Amino acid sequence: MRSTMPRILPLAVLFVVFYVSASWAASGSVYDNFVQCLNTKANSSSSTPLANIVFAQNNPSYTSVLRAYIRNSRFNKTSTPKPVLIVTPSAESHVQASVLCAKQLGIQLKIRSGGHDYEGVSYWSDQTFIVLDMFNLRSITVDIKDGSVWAQAGATLGEMYYRIWEKSKVHGFPAGVCETVGVGGHISGGGYGNMLRKYGLAVDNVIDAQIVDVQGRLLDRKSMGEDLFWAIKGGGGGSFGVIISYKLKLVSVPEIVTVFRVERTLEENATAVVLKWQEVAPTTDDGLFMRMLLQPVTSKVKKGEKTVRISILAEFLGNADQLVSLLGKEFPELGLKKENCMEMSWIDSVLWWANFDNRTKPEALLNRNPNDANFLKRKSDYVQTAISKDGLEWLWKKMIELGKTGLVFNPYGGKMSQIPASETPFPHRAGNLFKIQYSVNWEDAGEESEKNYLTQSRRLYSYMTPFVSKNPRSAFLNYRDLDIGVNTFGDNSYEEGKVYGLKYFNDNFDRLLKVKTAVDPENFFRNEQSIPTLPNGNSDVNSRSSSNLPMGKPFVLLICLLIGGW
């Protein structure tokens, strides 16, 4: 036997190399196979040929379609893994067929609605993958009589706000302030905005939904069942299926709202303002939202020295006189005067928060701003006990030392404290004073800059450890942060998922696990931080291992034959 093995093994290796090469060459026909499958499975009345909604890497439009909704330039490099195909469905049946065909071909499916995915997990992967880009599915239907709006996943928040305003000047919806965020990702991950203290999160106002599940079925609330409906209201839609649309409950807004922006530096008593803000912002009138930005800047008073500037941006569901009177009593340290305030309609306040000029018309919200991207990193935390004066002064020193990373404090309280933590997967309710977003942007595309700014943000996050929630140190899913854990979907999938899952979902993680295992037992819908399946359910390991083989079972059988394992 020893004398024959040296002759057999090289031959075996040669066969294996040839087989693998042939199978990878065959992957060039993924486009043909996928389109052929789509034509078989899509019952579409659309006049658009299905081949026209699928972009292979050799398509002249491939790069522009991929880049259009990349919002973080860190994931727009030549070294960033690219999808083998981009599918741009224009009908629900295209989504259903895409799920079935990706499954049939054993290729991972990534779902992108708006691209405001801080870690880009909706459009890159270390595995062979397809991007299902939802931007063509963006219809919005407002029903003022019913007090609701149906919004498809690929619509932007700006488009939704505009369509609501078209129908009513006294209705709105409590979602995010960035107008180019996609409805699908925003709402499925929680979704908050400047009316969260009055009306809660976007997910607290979801009435119905449509989702395509792993079997390619189009389900609504009734047919999907309450467990899955619960899971896609803050658990991240990409773990459970493809969100097609949400039916949302409209909320009342006054004809006049008031906004203001007030800035202070350390030389202008900013520390005292921050101390009082922590007390007032989470407990004041529910109609008042005061976001606070903290940023290291160059001092105007002490030339050449650094200081910290705080900026309070606020919206009040009422007039300026009411607001000035309220904060005169509750927050005299701010020194708010009527001339600091601007009264405007709710739709104009949407434009104000989005940093448009004051005279900008609402139609600007319909501009989706494709190819608009920065280099950025975001992280998150929750604060449950106010930070002391000593703590703040120490923090200022650290922020100045680091250089650029800023903090955004978003106050809770109000409606957020009244909704039970288990009502939706989003658990961060009563007991949280405010959420922190760590924020740094940069322009240089070099590796050295990226390393520098990522290190800055991670150090500031580390410095904040004494001041934030513990056991777990909680995080917000829509401020996606791969630093807090990544799932490789190998043998330790459950344990890896638990690391980030408990931070994002606290006690709700267990229920999400059960829903995931029930609706997607083979873990077809997955990303680097998706909900894993339970270890005693249908293991995701089997799904992953088979889909990663060049040609599935034949490859395994060939090796078995060659090494005598048959």
Side-chain angles (χ1 to χ4, degrees):
M1 186 68 181
R2 284 185 181 178
S3 63
T4 58
M5 280 300 286
R7 293 177 186 173
I8 293 173
L9 274 179
L11 185 62
V13 169
L14 186 63
F15 270 102
V16 171
V17 169
F18 174 80
Y19 193 87
V20 171
S21 300
S23 61
W24 282 116
S27 70
S29 65
V30 168
Y31 172 85
D32 296 326
N33 292 336
F34 192 85
V35 170
Q36 184 179 354
C37 179
L38 276 186
N39 281 314
T40 303
K41 297 187 183 297
N43 299 314
S44 176
S45 58
S46 171
S47 59
T48 305
L50 291 177
N52 291 2
I53 68 167
V54 184
F55 298 83
Q57 291 181 349
N58 61 358
N59 187 308
S61 300
Y62 172 91
T63 299
S64 61
V65 173
L66 177 62
R67 286 182 176 173
Y69 295 99
I70 290 178
R71 303 294 190 187
N72 189 344
S73 293
R74 285 173 54 210
F75 307 109
N76 190 19
K77 304 172 187 171
T78 53
S79 59
T80 305
K82 307 293 192 296
V84 289
L85 302 175
I86 306 167
V87 186
T88 59
S90 57
E92 290 92 337
S93 62
H94 298 166
V95 177
Q96 294 173 273
S98 295
V99 169
L100 295 174
C101 293
K103 272 181 66 184
Q104 183 173 303
L105 295 177
I107 300 178
Q108 185 182 15
L109 194 69
K110 294 268 187 162
I111 307 142
R112 180 166 75 171
S113 56
H116 283 261
D117 173 355
Y118 286 150
E119 298 283 22
V121 300
S122 58
Y123 51 85
W124 73 264
S125 175
D126 60 3
Q127 301 177 42
T128 304
F129 71 107
I130 293 169
V131 165
L132 187 66
D133 201 319
M134 303 292 284
F135 67 86
N136 283 326
L137 288 173
R138 60 208 234 202
S139 74
I140 298 163
T141 307
V142 180
D143 186 338
I144 295 300
K145 276 189 179 179
D146 186 47
S148 68
V149 53
W150 270 107
Q152 286 191 313
T156 65
L157 297 183
E159 288 171 332
M160 181 171 70
Y161 296 151
Y162 179 85
R163 298 304 173 197
I164 294 170
W165 168 78
E166 268 190 322
K167 294 289 183 74
S168 169
K169 306 303 180 265
V170 291
H171 285 87
F173 187 73
V177 300
C178 188
E179 81 285 6
T180 56
V181 168
V183 164
H186 182 71
I187 296 176
S188 69
Y192 82 98
N194 50 32
M195 293 194 285
L196 89 165
R197 303 189 63 256
K198 179 73 172 178
Y199 293 116
L201 306 171
V203 290
D204 299 325
N205 297 277
V206 173
I207 303 169
D208 203 342
Q210 289 183 309
I211 186 172
V212 171
D213 74 354
V214 74
Q215 297 177 50
R217 299 176 300 181
L218 179 62
L219 307 173
D220 61 8
R221 178 175 182 173
K222 185 177 180 181
S223 54
M224 79 175 77
E226 288 302 304
D227 282 337
L228 180 53
F229 182 64
W230 173 86
I232 60 172
K233 294 189 299 175
S239 289
F240 304 98
V242 183
I243 303 295
I244 299 293
S245 59
Y246 282 106
K247 185 180 184 182
L248 309 168
K249 180 177 66 180
L250 298 175
V251 301
S252 298
V253 294
E255 291 187 13
I256 295 294
V257 303
T258 305
V259 300
F260 71 79
R261 180 183 184 120
V262 172
E263 296 182 347
R264 298 281 188 274
T265 62
L266 297 182
E267 298 81 12
E268 299 167 318
N269 211 23
T271 305
V273 173
V274 176
L275 274 171
K276 190 67 172 180
W277 179 94
Q278 295 180 95
E279 178 186 325
V280 174
T283 60
T284 188
D285 186 292
D286 292 357
L288 174 57
F289 175 82
M290 292 189 288
R291 166 179 280 181
M292 184 161 62
L293 317 178
L294 302 88
Q295 187 77 36
V297 296
T298 301
S299 174
K300 293 179 181 176
V301 178
K302 300 175 182 176
K303 292 286 172 101
E305 290 189 26
K306 287 278 191 177
T307 186
V308 173
R309 179 184 66 210
I310 66 156
S311 307
I312 296 180
L313 287 73
E315 176 156 332
F316 178 61
L317 300 176
N319 63 43
D321 288 331
Q322 293 170 311
L323 179 58
V324 171
S325 173
L326 174 68
L327 291 185
K329 296 170 188 171
E330 294 187 353
F331 201 173
E333 293 83 353
L334 188 61
L336 185 71
K337 299 181 174 62
K338 190 170 182 180
E339 53 264 34
N340 302 132
C341 302
M342 288 189 290
E343 294 181 332
M344 58 184 64
S345 65
W346 174 74
I347 198 68
D348 284 334
S349 78
V350 170
L351 292 159
W352 182 84
W353 281 97
N355 292 318
F356 286 101
D357 292 335
N358 288 338
R359 294 179 184 176
T360 303
K361 294 189 179 301
E363 283 72 18
L365 297 171
L366 301 177
N367 181 0
R368 296 170 72 89
N369 297 324
N371 298 304
D372 180 25
N374 296 307
F375 291 94
L376 60 90
K377 175 65 181 178
R378 301 290 188 266
K379 301 175 75 64
S380 62
D381 258 320
Y382 286 88
V383 173
Q384 297 169 340
T385 305
I387 304 170
S388 68
K389 182 181 179 185
D390 287 346
L392 289 173
E393 290 176 343
W394 178 82
L395 177 59
W396 307 149
K397 290 176 185 174
K398 294 298 181 185
M399 291 181 73
I400 289 168
E401 282 174 17
L402 288 172
K404 190 172 182 183
T405 304
L407 301 173
V408 185
F409 288 5
N410 293 289
Y412 276 18
K415 188 77 169 177
M416 293 295 287
S417 295
Q418 299 161 20
I419 298 171
S422 60
E423 186 76 15
T424 68
F426 179 96
H428 316 295
R429 306 286 190 167
N432 291 289
L433 297 177
F434 55 94
K435 172 173 58 190
I436 296 177
Q437 178 176 199
Y438 299 76
S439 175
V440 63
N441 289 25
W442 63 95
E443 294 179 2
D444 184 1
E447 285 186 24
E448 200 58 40
S449 284
E450 180 166 324
K451 182 180 177 184
N452 172 35
Y453 291 116
L454 292 180
T455 301
Q456 271 194 39
S457 66
R458 288 163 182 163
R459 282 184 178 165
L460 185 55
Y461 181 81
S462 176
Y463 294 150
M464 290 296 292
T465 304
F467 309 124
V468 299
S469 60
K470 299 167 180 65
N471 303 315
R473 181 172 183 171
S474 294
F476 176 39
L477 180 66
N478 272 358
Y479 289 172
R480 181 82 69 182
D481 179 11
L482 295 186
D483 293 349
I484 67 171
V486 171
N487 207 323
T488 57
F489 295 106
D491 293 339
N492 297 318
S493 173
Y494 168 73
E495 294 299 330
E496 288 175 347
K498 195 174 176 182
V499 172
Y500 56 82
L502 289 175
K503 294 172 184 175
Y504 286 137
F505 305 112
N506 296 10
D507 292 341
N508 292 332
F509 180 59
D510 284 343
R511 185 176 174 188
L512 287 168
L513 279 169
K514 291 171 185 172
V515 176
K516 169 68 173 181
T517 306
V519 303
D520 184 18
E522 294 185 350
N523 198 27
F524 173 73
F525 292 109
R526 64 187 186 275
N527 60 54
E528 286 70 16
Q529 284 189 337
S530 58
I531 304 295
T533 53
L534 283 164
N536 58 350
N538 268 334
S539 173
D540 52 25
V541 179
N542 296 329
S543 167
R544 162 131 178 157
S545 59
S546 63
S547 65
N548 280 350
L549 292 172
M551 290 291 281
K553 283 184 182 176
F555 179 77
V556 178
L557 295 176
L558 180 64
I559 289 184
C560 289
L561 282 167
L562 290 169
I563 64 174
W566 184 248

